[in-house]
Amino acid sequence: MKTRDRLRIAMQKSGRLTEPALNLLNRCGLSFRQSRDKLFCFGEGEPVDLLLVRDDDIPGLIAQGVCDLGIVGRNVLNEFQLSQSGLDAEPLQELRPLGFGRCRLSIAVPNELDYQGPRQLEGRRIATSYPGLLGEWLRSHGVNAGVVTLAGSVEIAPKLGTADAICDLVQSGGTLVANQLREADILLESQAVLAGSLALPADERGDMLELLLKRLDGVIQVRESRLLLLQTSRAALEAVTRLLPGGPQPTLLPVLGQPDQLMLQALCAGEVSWRQLEEIKKAGAREMLVLPVEKMLA
Ligand code: PRP
Ligand code: ZN
């Protein structure tokens, strides 16, 4: 393989992962000369270029050494890994989960079918674009079913009579509802991941890759952090504190003119949901604020 001195990342040309992936790379300090309609985008600040391709082609491009990294759904990566097992090919690994593009690879059945579990698929035909993942799941449940491999439009197979059930990605669930199907079993929780080959480049590209991973970790950590501010009475403090999501010890501040009240400031490691806020409020908190964290330097 000819060596390169610039790192090359493959990502989806146009689709659900494109915008969030570019956004994430930008936040890692990478910017690209604008040629979004082209296959190749030259990186401006750092020696990192982009290749914009079909998502299903990404693992293969990494395995062939055309690209060093890829941003791709875990479903696509795992399906590729299964298709390669036993072959003498460069193995790929998931380097980081990226926290966007969350979806599930699920079994869906016609609304009228009363699904009781995997056994019920015995002898039936299941349409999918993920024959590897589906086959593995069926084997693990000891179920013999016909796998009908389709490149797309899997959801219409039951209506056409070419399959009895499907195994496809579900995000909002809208596609299933529109096709009178319902989600029956989950095979895989997926999201966008950074994929790379198991043997990472041992030249300048390796150094750049290490730097990129560090920046990525910082960006992901900050993106998921929230600063929670609230007021509470001293009497309710213990109950309120017990309900706080994980993070470092909170800070307490006095409230001017209200010696009985405290202001609490807590850095939370993940998102704070409405439900969590409502619980904390019930415990006695008020004036609650949840703020995004832009930068963090401990
Ligand atoms: C996936 C999947 C479904 C749809 C589900 O296709 O194949 O058709 O998304 O999403 P929903 O639950 O929000 O309706 P996608 O649009 O990712 O295109 P693909 O054919 O490239 O997989
Ligand atoms: Zn696709």
Side-chain angles (χ1 to χ4, degrees), residues 139-154:
R139 265 192 303 284
S140 76
H141 286 89
V143 173
N144 274 305
V147 175
V148 182
T149 304
L150 300 175
S153 305
V154 169

Side-chain angles (χ1 to χ4, degrees), residues 43 82 112 145 208 212 214 264:
L82 285 172
E112 62 277 11
M208 187 59 221
L212 181 61
K214 283 206 188 101
L264 182 150

